[in-house]
Amino acid sequence: MKMVGTQVAAARTARNMTQKRLGELVRLDAESIASIEQGRRALMPHVAELMDQHLNLPGMLTAAALGMPERDANPPWSEEYMDLEKRAITLNWFEAMVIPGVLQTETYMRALFRCRVPAFLSEEIEDLTVRRLARTEILRRKHPPSLTFVISETGLRDRIGGDAVHAEQVRHLLGCMEFPHVTVQVLPLGQTYHPALSGSFTMVETPEHEHVGYFEGQRGSKLVTDPDDVSILAQRYAMLRTQALNPDETRGLLERLGE
């Protein structure tokens, strides 16, 4: 990543272009360009293609981005989403199978990571837990984003980690609902119509009011930037919220589960 970042910086300097100007051309801010050039952020292939175009390069950066070895704990698409999540002013999240990551307790996180097949090593579980715990700080920021969650009742009924872990997680959800910027709704079982059978997804609004979607599958993840595709996710999320229990009904269900 440092080597590729150095190539980006060299090509930009040769064109007498500032980080801010390059960012405008490839739809990133100057800070993101600086992170790429310093090797702290992966260069995404779609960004590399735009850089090649505007820096008059013969596909050099695209080839570098596509050839990046996958050695990080999170795939490149996931890393870019994590960066967006940190900067979000609005985060909307539908979760079909488990509790959303930023609402998880530490014990629940560890229990989830232990479910992985093939199994994670103990040190990998520790590293992943530290990473996910850091993301939960989004709840307690001085100026937090607006956070809404729709959680399938399936994710609440499964007792991942056992009764004690499950009970702690339910209490934690109730605690999270006390934050004025957090809305949690449960999508009850027994639906006759479901607009998100293809799985979980999140949508982020950035400080620049860019809307981006994100979803994960069995073996990968995908950042959704095309406006048409983001619009489809927004329509699905709006329908899910109309089908879900309202916050008061959700609180009642959680209290009954906690008993």
Side-chain angles (χ1 to χ4, degrees), residues 17-30 33:
M17 191 179 295
T18 65
Q19 291 178 338
K20 180 180 180 181
R21 178 54 182 159
L22 179 58
E24 292 171 348
L25 293 172
V26 301
R27 298 191 288 276
L28 292 175
D29 54 31
I33 298 297

Side-chain angles (χ1 to χ4, degrees), residues 160-209:
I160 302 297
D163 289 347
V165 171
H166 180 260
E168 180 189 27
Q169 179 61 68
V170 170
R171 290 193 299 271
H172 181 67
L173 281 176
L174 284 166
C176 291
M177 292 181 72
E178 297 302 316
F179 289 111
H181 56 281
V182 175
T183 300
V184 178
Q185 296 176 257
V186 171
L187 183 70
L189 297 171
Q191 298 294 319
T192 58
Y193 170 78
H194 198 312
L197 291 173
S198 53
S200 309
F201 62 90
T202 61
M203 293 187 302
V204 170
E205 181 183 1
T206 71
E208 298 77 30
H209 304 296

Side-chain angles (χ1 to χ4, degrees), residues 59-195:
M60 180 185 75
L61 296 177
T62 301
L66 292 172
M68 189 76 70
E70 296 185 8
R71 66 172 188 81
D72 293 333
N74 296 320
W77 280 115
S78 179
E79 291 287 1
E80 187 163 2
Y81 167 75
M82 301 303 175
D83 181 61
L84 288 169
E85 188 179 87
K86 292 175 185 176
R87 301 172 52 241
I89 61 172
T90 301
L91 176 65
N92 300 319
W93 190 322
F94 168 64
E95 188 57 65
M97 298 299 296
V98 297
I99 306 301
V102 299
L103 298 180
Q104 294 173 7
T105 65
E106 182 175 350
T107 53
Y108 184 85
M109 293 175 192
R110 294 180 187 277
L112 282 179
F113 292 138
R114 291 192 186 99
C115 292
R116 199 250 202 176
V117 177
F120 282 124
L121 299 175
S122 59
E123 54 265 32
E124 291 177 311
I125 291 176
E126 290 302 314
D127 181 56
L128 290 166
T129 302
V130 168
R131 286 170 177 259
R132 186 163 295 180
L133 277 172
R135 291 172 58 200
T136 65
E137 291 301 313
I138 193 173
L139 299 170
R140 300 171 183 82
R141 284 186 199 161
K142 184 176 181 180
H143 301 290
S146 172
L147 302 167
T148 72
F149 303 89
V150 177
I151 308 171
S152 173
E153 190 175 346
T154 301
L156 291 173
R157 294 289 180 182
D158 285 342
R159 310 178 84 79
I160 302 297
D163 289 347
V165 171
H166 180 260
E168 180 189 27
Q169 179 61 68
V170 170
R171 290 193 299 271
H172 181 67
L173 281 176
L174 284 166
C176 291
M177 292 181 72
E178 297 302 316
F179 289 111
H181 56 281
V182 175
T183 300
V184 178
Q185 296 176 257
V186 171
L187 183 70
L189 297 171
Q191 298 294 319
T192 58
Y193 170 78
H194 198 312

